Amino acid sequence: MCKQAALTSYTIEPLHTVGERQRHHVTVHLKTVKNQTNLCLEKQTLTGKMASSAKQCESDDDDMDEFMEKFKTMEYKNAFSKDNWEEEFDKIPMFMKSVPDEIDPQNYPELASIQSIIHSEDRSPEEQAQSLKNEGNEFFKEKNYKKAILAYTAGLQKKCGDQELSTVLHTNRAAAHFYLGNMRSALNDAAAAKKISPDHLKALIRGAQCCVELRNFSEAVQWCDEGLKVHPTDKKLQELRAAADKHRRAVERDARKAKVKEKKLHGEKQALLAAIKDRGIKLLQSAKRCGPKDEREDQGSPAVMSQLSLDGLSSQEATGHHVFQDEQGSLHWPVLFLYPEHQQTDFISAFCESSCIVDHLTVMFGEELPPWDVDRKYLPQNLQLYFEDEEKETLYQVNPETPLLTVLQHKRFFVKAGSPSFIVLVTGSSFMKQFITGKKVRGLKL
């Protein structure tokens, strides 16, 4: 290498004197020797370094081999075991599958530290609100809407002054309330977001959706119209408006039908009540309406009759039927027959006021007797009928040949719960004697 370095060629400018040429050759020679010397020194230095490096590598390899051999015999300290490694991994923020409900600094020190940094009061309100929004979004993705609402609410409480961020917090909280079914709260948040940013698309859509769920279709259409002014091509708003308008028109149509039907029914009931009053039939008013017993007037007095309302016409709770008037003007009553001896009842849903009681008794106790009459005693000719005046504690005996209307017009007969009722007993039976003992019994004077 040194010889090769000495043969290095140089370009030399022409010299005009012998002295100058000699000086030049000396100078060139000295430079050549100097370069050669430097190259030799560099070679020697490099060779030394390589040798030293090789020795160092050999030493490092020996050290590593020694460490690995020693490592094999060492025991783990403070490491995960095969029994709890999954549990320990879940405590490390990077590997957590879900955030714990309560962050205990002793159990989750790393997570508690991160949380303290995120929610540090040293940060600006905008930064804190942004962090809380992000936290709420994570809860929302996990469908933990209650936690999301808490995070968004905390963000709004920072009152950061960033209108765009406040709008997003309101809109996101509205979404969380919506999926929890809190439609009124969701609508309030959507309205708050719209108040801050009137053209915010998500707030407008959410407000319309809430109104639809609340069946306030007119208001839903209004939300959509406001949104379409600033977002005229948004398909979601267009679809929502079409659906809301369809429901609105259906509701309005149904309301008109219901109003017409209600008016018709009211007219029919008023006519029915007038027919009952014209016949002098008394409807028993409840104690709540009439007041205490010692304060109310006689049930058959004109004052009480003038106060009769439609309430007394319905027997829906007792029998599921009510009195009605046919095209010929006759009243048909739901009538109950009570058999206290056997604790049984019979019910006639439409007993025409002109029919006699015996007509129905003949049908009920004709060829086929009821299964509870094992002694075959309940024959039409053996039966006695009574109605009870509870206020006077009196039983009035009714002739089965009497038309129903005649009985209903008796001064002491009161229709209870919209359904006339009669007590049926077997003539001369031991139960009849026992039943009427201690009671006032009167014949029906027509």
Side-chain angles (χ1 to χ4, degrees), residues 418-430:
S419 180
S421 59
F422 297 93
I423 299 170
V424 182
L425 302 172
V426 176
T427 305
S429 67
S430 58

Side-chain angles (χ1 to χ4, degrees), residues 164-204:
E164 183 178 353
L165 181 56
S166 297
T167 301
V168 173
L169 285 168
H170 276 296
T171 304
N172 290 1
R173 191 171 68 174
H177 276 303
F178 183 87
Y179 285 109
L180 284 176
N182 304 331
M183 298 304 163
R184 185 59 61 184
S185 297
L187 180 60
N188 291 339
D189 266 324
K194 188 181 72 168
K195 185 176 181 180
I196 300 172
S197 302
D199 59 347
H200 195 272
L201 180 59
K202 288 187 177 180
L204 293 164

Side-chain angles (χ1 to χ4, degrees), residues 120-180:
S120 173
E121 294 297 329
D122 295 335
R123 306 173 72 201
S124 67
E126 288 78 8
E127 290 177 322
Q128 294 181 56
Q130 181 66 40
S131 297
L132 288 164
K133 186 206 78 170
N134 295 338
E135 182 178 316
N137 290 349
E138 292 301 320
F139 283 125
F140 191 92
K141 291 176 183 177
E142 297 173 1
K143 297 185 178 180
N144 192 341
Y145 301 121
K146 292 183 179 180
K147 287 287 186 69
I149 289 171
L150 292 176
Y152 296 138
T153 301
L156 288 167
Q157 289 173 348
K158 298 301 178 181
K159 298 180 180 179
C160 64
D162 186 334
Q163 291 190 345
E164 183 178 353
L165 181 56
S166 297
T167 301
V168 173
L169 285 168
H170 276 296
T171 304
N172 290 1
R173 191 171 68 174
H177 276 303
F178 183 87
Y179 285 109
L180 284 176

Side-chain angles (χ1 to χ4, degrees), residues 249-260:
R249 286 185 278 108
V251 168
E252 291 174 350
R253 181 181 64 248
D254 293 342
R256 289 192 299 270
K257 289 182 178 179
K259 188 174 182 180
V260 172

Side-chain angles (χ1 to χ4, degrees), residues 131-406:
S131 297
L132 288 164
K133 186 206 78 170
N134 295 338
E135 182 178 316
N137 290 349
E138 292 301 320
F139 283 125
F140 191 92
K141 291 176 183 177
E142 297 173 1
K143 297 185 178 180
N144 192 341
Y145 301 121
K146 292 183 179 180
K147 287 287 186 69
I149 289 171
L150 292 176
Y152 296 138
T153 301
L156 288 167
Q157 289 173 348
K158 298 301 178 181
K159 298 180 180 179
C160 64
D162 186 334
Q163 291 190 345
E164 183 178 353
L165 181 56
S166 297
T167 301
V168 173
L169 285 168
H170 276 296
T171 304
N172 290 1
R173 191 171 68 174
H177 276 303
F178 183 87
Y179 285 109
L180 284 176
N182 304 331
M183 298 304 163
R184 185 59 61 184
S185 297
L187 180 60
N188 291 339
D189 266 324
K194 188 181 72 168
K195 185 176 181 180
I196 300 172
S197 302
D199 59 347
H200 195 272
L201 180 59
K202 288 187 177 180
L204 293 164
I205 291 175
R206 188 66 64 192
Q209 289 174 329
C210 292
C211 290
V212 170
E213 293 296 326
L214 292 168
R215 299 190 64 79
N216 191 345
F217 302 116
S218 297
E219 190 173 344
V221 171
Q222 184 177 350
W223 275 80
C224 292
D225 287 342
E226 291 180 17
L228 289 170
K229 288 180 181 178
V230 290
H231 306 282
T233 60
D234 186 76
K235 292 184 178 180
K236 187 66 176 178
L237 282 174
Q238 292 172 351
E239 292 172 358
L240 273 172
R241 193 195 186 286
D245 188 55
K246 181 180 179 181
H247 287 302
R248 179 187 64 177
R249 286 185 278 108
V251 168
E252 291 174 350
R253 181 181 64 248
D254 293 342
R256 289 192 299 270
K257 289 182 178 179
K259 188 174 182 180
V260 172
K261 184 178 180 180
E262 182 182 358
K263 185 176 181 180
K264 180 181 178 182
L265 289 175
H266 184 74
E268 292 175 352
K269 287 186 176 181
Q270 288 293 347
L272 183 59
L273 184 59
I276 293 172
K277 288 182 178 180
D278 291 342
R279 288 164 171 75
I281 299 173
K282 295 165 286 298
L283 304 178
L284 184 63
Q285 302 297 288
S286 64
K288 183 177 179 180
R289 287 180 59 84
C290 296
K293 181 178 179 180
D294 56 348
E295 294 181 4
R296 59 179 193 256
E297 303 177 66
D298 184 78
Q299 292 280 8
S301 67
V304 172
M305 288 297 294
S306 65
Q307 295 176 3
L308 287 179
S309 68
L310 302 179
D311 297 340
L313 297 180
S314 176
S315 62
Q316 293 285 0
E317 294 182 2
T319 64
H321 293 75
H322 56 82
V323 61
F324 66 92
Q325 190 173 24
D326 62 21
E327 295 179 356
Q328 288 72 36
S330 297
L331 297 180
H332 297 258
W333 293 87
V335 177
L336 278 171
F337 290 96
L338 311 175
Y339 310 103
E341 182 178 1
H342 296 281
Q343 297 182 349
Q344 299 289 331
T345 61
D346 268 329
F347 169 65
I348 300 173
S349 61
F351 195 131
C352 183
E353 62 183 358
S354 60
S355 298
C356 296
I357 298 175
V358 70
D359 297 336
H360 291 279
L361 292 177
T362 301
V363 175
M364 292 187 294
F365 301 99
E367 298 179 358
E368 185 177 352
L369 295 177
W372 45 263
D373 182 18
V374 294
D375 297 330
R376 321 299 287 174
K377 296 184 301 183
Y378 282 76
L379 301 173
Q381 63 272 20
N382 296 340
L383 303 179
Q384 289 189 8
L385 274 72
Y386 299 86
F387 71 81
E388 186 176 13
D389 182 354
E390 293 180 355
E391 185 176 351
K392 302 292 185 180
E393 297 180 350
T394 302
L395 291 175
Y396 287 87
Q397 186 175 356
V398 177
N399 184 352
E401 301 289 340
T402 307
L404 177 62
L405 177 59
T406 303

